[in-house]
PDB file of all heavy atoms in Angstrom:
ATOM      1  N   MET A   6     -66.061  20.073  31.368  1.00  0.00           N
ATOM      2  CA  MET A   6     -64.763  19.534  30.971  1.00  0.00           C
ATOM      3  C   MET A   6     -64.146  20.399  29.871  1.00  0.00           C
ATOM      4  O   MET A   6     -62.949  20.704  29.894  1.00  0.00           O
ATOM      5  CB  MET A   6     -64.916  18.093  30.466  1.00  0.00           C
ATOM      6  CG  MET A   6     -64.748  17.060  31.570  1.00  0.00           C
ATOM      7  SD  MET A   6     -65.513  15.482  31.122  1.00  0.00           S
ATOM      8  CE  MET A   6     -64.466  14.987  29.794  1.00  0.00           C
ATOM      9  N   LEU A   7     -64.972  20.790  28.919  1.00  0.00           N
ATOM     10  CA  LEU A   7     -64.473  21.620  27.815  1.00  0.00           C
ATOM     11  C   LEU A   7     -63.988  22.973  28.332  1.00  0.00           C
ATOM     12  O   LEU A   7     -62.953  23.486  27.909  1.00  0.00           O
ATOM     13  CB  LEU A   7     -65.571  21.824  26.760  1.00  0.00           C
ATOM     14  CG  LEU A   7     -66.021  20.559  26.026  1.00  0.00           C
ATOM     15  CD1 LEU A   7     -67.233  20.848  25.156  1.00  0.00           C
ATOM     16  CD2 LEU A   7     -64.892  19.998  25.175  1.00  0.00           C
ATOM     17  N   LEU A   8     -64.743  23.534  29.307  1.00  0.00           N
ATOM     18  CA  LEU A   8     -64.341  24.816  29.890  1.00  0.00           C
ATOM     19  C   LEU A   8     -63.043  24.673  30.675  1.00  0.00           C
ATOM     20  O   LEU A   8     -62.174  25.543  30.625  1.00  0.00           O
ATOM     21  CB  LEU A   8     -65.453  25.364  30.774  1.00  0.00           C
ATOM     22  CG  LEU A   8     -66.587  26.057  30.003  1.00  0.00           C
ATOM     23  CD1 LEU A   8     -67.711  26.470  30.955  1.00  0.00           C
ATOM     24  CD2 LEU A   8     -66.052  27.273  29.232  1.00  0.00           C
ATOM     25  N   ALA A   9     -62.913  23.544  31.399  1.00  0.00           N
ATOM     26  CA  ALA A   9     -61.679  23.293  32.156  1.00  0.00           C
ATOM     27  C   ALA A   9     -60.494  23.213  31.208  1.00  0.00           C
ATOM     28  O   ALA A   9     -59.417  23.756  31.483  1.00  0.00           O
ATOM     29  CB  ALA A   9     -61.813  22.007  32.974  1.00  0.00           C
ATOM     30  N   LEU A  10     -60.703  22.542  30.066  1.00  0.00           N
ATOM     31  CA  LEU A  10     -59.641  22.460  29.058  1.00  0.00           C
ATOM     32  C   LEU A  10     -59.281  23.855  28.570  1.00  0.00           C
ATOM     33  O   LEU A  10     -58.101  24.207  28.439  1.00  0.00           O
ATOM     34  CB  LEU A  10     -60.124  21.650  27.858  1.00  0.00           C
ATOM     35  CG  LEU A  10     -59.722  20.187  27.751  1.00  0.00           C
ATOM     36  CD1 LEU A  10     -60.251  19.617  26.440  1.00  0.00           C
ATOM     37  CD2 LEU A  10     -58.218  20.024  27.824  1.00  0.00           C
ATOM     38  N   TYR A  11     -60.308  24.658  28.290  1.00  0.00           N
ATOM     39  CA  TYR A  11     -60.127  26.008  27.765  1.00  0.00           C
ATOM     40  C   TYR A  11     -59.333  26.863  28.736  1.00  0.00           C
ATOM     41  O   TYR A  11     -58.552  27.728  28.330  1.00  0.00           O
ATOM     42  CB  TYR A  11     -61.500  26.639  27.501  1.00  0.00           C
ATOM     43  CG  TYR A  11     -61.443  27.975  26.805  1.00  0.00           C
ATOM     44  CD1 TYR A  11     -61.226  28.055  25.433  1.00  0.00           C
ATOM     45  CD2 TYR A  11     -61.605  29.156  27.522  1.00  0.00           C
ATOM     46  CE1 TYR A  11     -61.183  29.274  24.783  1.00  0.00           C
ATOM     47  CE2 TYR A  11     -61.566  30.386  26.876  1.00  0.00           C
ATOM     48  CZ  TYR A  11     -61.350  30.441  25.515  1.00  0.00           C
ATOM     49  OH  TYR A  11     -61.304  31.660  24.871  1.00  0.00           O
ATOM     50  N   GLU A  12     -59.545  26.604  30.056  1.00  0.00           N
ATOM     51  CA  GLU A  12     -58.850  27.421  31.058  1.00  0.00           C
ATOM     52  C   GLU A  12     -57.522  26.822  31.509  1.00  0.00           C
ATOM     53  O   GLU A  12     -56.845  27.377  32.369  1.00  0.00           O
ATOM     54  CB  GLU A  12     -59.783  27.638  32.265  1.00  0.00           C
ATOM     55  CG  GLU A  12     -60.767  28.763  31.976  1.00  0.00           C
ATOM     56  CD  GLU A  12     -62.057  28.633  32.761  1.00  0.00           C
ATOM     57  OE1 GLU A  12     -62.099  27.844  33.727  1.00  0.00           O
ATOM     58  OE2 GLU A  12     -63.033  29.301  32.380  1.00  0.00           O
ATOM     59  N   SER A  13     -57.143  25.686  30.916  1.00  0.00           N
ATOM     60  CA  SER A  13     -55.877  25.057  31.310  1.00  0.00           C
ATOM     61  C   SER A  13     -54.696  25.926  30.873  1.00  0.00           C
ATOM     62  O   SER A  13     -54.820  26.770  29.972  1.00  0.00           O
ATOM     63  CB  SER A  13     -55.769  23.672  30.674  1.00  0.00           C
ATOM     64  OG  SER A  13     -55.683  23.807  29.269  1.00  0.00           O
ATOM     65  N   ASP A  14     -53.544  25.683  31.513  1.00  0.00           N
ATOM     66  CA  ASP A  14     -52.341  26.460  31.188  1.00  0.00           C
ATOM     67  C   ASP A  14     -51.935  26.295  29.726  1.00  0.00           C
ATOM     68  O   ASP A  14     -51.545  27.257  29.060  1.00  0.00           O
ATOM     69  CB  ASP A  14     -51.177  26.023  32.090  1.00  0.00           C
ATOM     70  CG  ASP A  14     -51.393  26.472  33.530  1.00  0.00           C
ATOM     71  OD1 ASP A  14     -52.236  27.365  33.732  1.00  0.00           O
ATOM     72  OD2 ASP A  14     -50.725  25.929  34.436  1.00  0.00           O
TER      73      ASP A  14
END
Side-chain angles (χ1 to χ4, degrees):
Chain A
M6 269 159 67
L7 295 172
L8 280 175
L10 261 183
Y11 187 79
E12 279 154 15
S13 66
D14 290 343

